[in-house]
Amino acid sequence: MSSEKNETSVWSMIKLGLILGAFAVAACTCLAVVNNITSPLIQKNKMEKASVAMKKVMPEAESFEEKDQVYVAKTADKVIGAVAEVTGSTYNEATILVGVSAEGFITGVEFLANSDSPGFGLKASDPSFILPSGKTFYGQFAGISSSSNFECPTDFDAISGATITSKGVGNLVRTGAEKCMAALKEIKGE
């Protein structure tokens, strides 16, 4: 009788394992189908958001051409600058676009994502947060030479209470400016 119980118990476990496996296969199949449907839409929305942001950091550009992870800005087939997307550490993490003119000056900075703390670090990407200079935090970078060190508070104003975020954004802007300048120098053949 006990061997009969063991046999029933083993078959019950095998049956439950097969049912669980069938549910797992069905769930994975559903996830794969949903991913295949939504992935192109998500990518399209990201590109549209990036295009709008690129136009904000390089408003004179008529078109953008990707070259080695940098977008070369053109007007009438003339290179007028470059835009780089940079992700990195702030207090948490941020993704920004940095525009640099062909002359080597920052034309603009735009946040694509910012996961810093509300009330302090998020002020870096908040268009309603105005510094004493009358500019937004990210707006103050326009006009700074791409060869700047981007050190706060000497090269730009920090957000009070969010020094780590401010320094992190400065590092991201410097990295973006370096990427843009490297692409522009390569185009010029330097």
Side-chain angles (χ1 to χ4, degrees):
M1 178 111 115
S2 97
S3 72
E4 222 175 88
K5 237 181 184 179
N6 282 343
E7 207 172 287
T8 305
S9 170
V10 168
W11 283 112
S12 292
M13 289 184 353
I14 290 172
K15 181 180 171 184
L16 287 174
L18 290 173
I19 291 171
L20 181 62
F23 277 114
V25 167
C28 288
T29 302
C30 288
L31 286 173
V33 168
V34 168
N35 184 52
N36 283 338
I37 292 170
T38 60
S39 183
L41 296 173
I42 291 169
Q43 191 63 30
K44 179 183 174 196
N45 287 340
K46 279 177 88 173
M47 287 305 297
E48 285 176 4
K49 184 178 178 181
S51 292
V52 168
M54 281 190 281
K55 195 71 173 146
K56 284 182 181 178
V57 299
M58 189 71 63
E60 307 84 30
E62 293 174 354
S63 65
F64 297 94
E65 182 181 301
E66 188 175 2
K67 179 177 177 44
D68 301 326
Q69 299 178 343
V70 172
Y71 296 92
V72 177
K74 294 182 175 183
T75 299
D77 291 330
K78 179 184 176 201
V79 174
I80 62 166
V83 178
E85 182 178 320
V86 186
T87 300
S89 242
T90 50
Y91 186 77
N92 189 22
E93 184 176 84
T95 301
I96 64 171
L97 285 179
V98 179
V100 176
S101 69
E103 294 79 29
F105 292 95
I106 303 295
T107 58
V109 172
E110 187 72 23
F111 277 82
L112 296 178
N114 182 1
S115 60
D116 283 3
S117 56
F120 290 106
L122 283 180
K123 288 180 181 178
S125 58
D126 183 356
S128 67
F129 175 71
I130 305 298
L131 294 168
S133 65
K135 297 180 179 180
T136 60
F137 174 75
Y138 55 89
Q140 70 179 323
F141 292 99
I144 296 177
S145 172
S146 62
S147 61
S148 171
N149 289 327
F150 297 98
E151 298 286 332
C152 70
T154 52
D155 297 321
F156 64 93
D157 293 328
I159 299 170
S160 180
T163 308
I164 295 171
T165 295
S166 300
K167 288 180 180 180
V169 172
N171 290 334
L172 292 175
V173 173
R174 179 177 45 250
T175 301
E178 289 169 355
K179 283 182 166 184
C180 288
M181 289 309 296
L184 291 169
K185 285 179 181 178
E186 185 179 319
I187 290 169
K188 290 178 185 176
E190 294 177 9

